[in-house]
Amino acid sequence: MSGFEMFQRMAAIGLEELSSEMLALMPLDELVGKTAEQIAFEGIASAIIQGRNAEVTTSKAASSITALKTMATAMSTGRKERILTGIWNVDSEPVAVDEILAFSMQKIESLAIEALKIQAEMAEEDAPFDVSPLFTLGNKKDLHRPFASAVPLEDWLKTKSLTTAEGEPELPATVTLSLALQLRDPLRRYEAVGGPMIVLIQATRAGAIPGKDVSDNDEMRYKVVSLHVGGLKIRMGEKRHIWDAEKQRLTAMLWLMEHGLGKADKKGKPVTPKGMDSLWSISSRVMADMWLKQMRNPDVKFLKQQLAMIR
């Protein structure tokens, strides 16, 4: 299942349930007023407090520090060359599951800027057309729920596998790393910029045959194949203040204008809350060890009447 198909399946469960499920599985911490050092320290302290013994405590703290160093390195590796040439070459070597996010960080940053333009109604490219949610026919309740089989990354790293419906471990040929993203301005005490975004990173197990699960004990290594960043466009209702309120639009617009990333002729463009709620997204793929140019996907409309009929 592609990343765009996952967005279609997200829309199939309805706006209210999707919003609640996203915030429950991927909660966003409040960081306003904190320094980068405080944020890093709190993450390490949390890992230590949650440790059940000295060995686990040390392991959790060390893992947190390692993750921070890996992210910092990933954000700088090859950055200068990409800025100068505009070519997004990537390492051809497969990575471990816990390195997938770091591998994708620079491209996430690039797509997040384009996503801000969509939130600010300043995007140069509109969605090509609208599509309906993707419903999976069947009797099982969770068939069309995209997060039904989701597990926290920490649990995955412990077991090195997923669990089938029969309780048997399996190593899927393809994994999707899902996370909620909230951009913040460090120059303004980490004030939120724009609204929350949904990030999907898809990776294929090195040496695996697509569509076929494997169950050996080798160390799992994956190659990232695609990246998707999306968000909710909510025209009205109580969920709008979380994902798509006027405050989010204005903070996105002002940040883009301040950094010369938005066109002045679109500043202050009035937004009329009309039409259907939708899920927008942009994507990029890796081909020949290179990130391709991002593309705007069709918007997925939330069809409440159709959802009620299928249920």
Side-chain angles (χ1 to χ4, degrees), residues 117-135:
K117 295 179 182 179
I118 296 175
Q119 292 183 338
E121 302 286 346
M122 299 172 70
E124 298 179 6
E125 180 183 7
D126 294 328
F129 49 86
D130 299 335
V131 298
S132 299
L134 179 62
F135 294 95

Side-chain angles (χ1 to χ4, degrees), residues 105-119:
M105 281 297 293
Q106 287 192 40
K107 196 60 179 179
I108 291 176
E109 180 186 44
S110 175
L111 264 63
I113 299 301
E114 296 303 314
L116 271 187
K117 295 179 182 179
I118 296 175
Q119 292 183 338

Side-chain angles (χ1 to χ4, degrees), residues 118 123 125-128 280-283 294-299:
I118 296 175
E125 180 183 7
D126 294 328
W280 55 264
S281 64
I282 50 180
S283 304
Q294 66 266 12
M295 60 178 291
R296 177 76 183 267
N297 296 320
D299 287 347

Side-chain angles (χ1 to χ4, degrees), residues 34-47:
K34 297 181 180 180
T35 65
E37 290 76 12
Q38 282 179 293
I39 296 169
F41 176 78
E42 288 177 3
I44 296 171
S46 176

Side-chain angles (χ1 to χ4, degrees), residues 51-171:
R52 288 177 292 181
N53 53 52
E55 182 179 351
V56 174
T57 299
T58 303
S59 176
K60 281 181 171 288
S63 297
S64 297
I65 294 173
T66 300
L68 289 172
K69 290 182 177 179
T70 301
M71 292 294 178
T73 301
M75 287 300 291
S76 59
T77 302
R79 190 181 188 89
K80 184 177 180 180
E81 291 76 7
R82 287 169 179 164
I83 293 175
L84 292 175
T85 65
I87 300 175
W88 286 74
N89 291 321
V90 297
D91 194 340
S92 61
E93 292 298 316
V95 297
V97 171
D98 56 345
E99 297 171 336
I100 290 176
L101 178 58
F103 177 93
S104 310
M105 281 297 293
Q106 287 192 40
K107 196 60 179 179
I108 291 176
E109 180 186 44
S110 175
L111 264 63
I113 299 301
E114 296 303 314
L116 271 187
K117 295 179 182 179
I118 296 175
Q119 292 183 338
E121 302 286 346
M122 299 172 70
E124 298 179 6
E125 180 183 7
D126 294 328
F129 49 86
D130 299 335
V131 298
S132 299
L134 179 62
F135 294 95
T136 304
L137 300 179
N139 297 321
K140 292 184 178 180
K141 180 180 178 181
D142 293 333
L143 272 178
H144 64 267
R145 304 187 72 87
F147 299 115
S149 60
V151 296
L153 181 59
E154 187 174 278
D155 292 349
W156 166 281
L157 295 175
K158 288 179 182 177
T159 61
K160 301 296 183 182
S161 66
L162 294 176
T163 302
T164 66
E166 292 74 26
E168 297 294 329
E170 68 172 352
L171 302 179

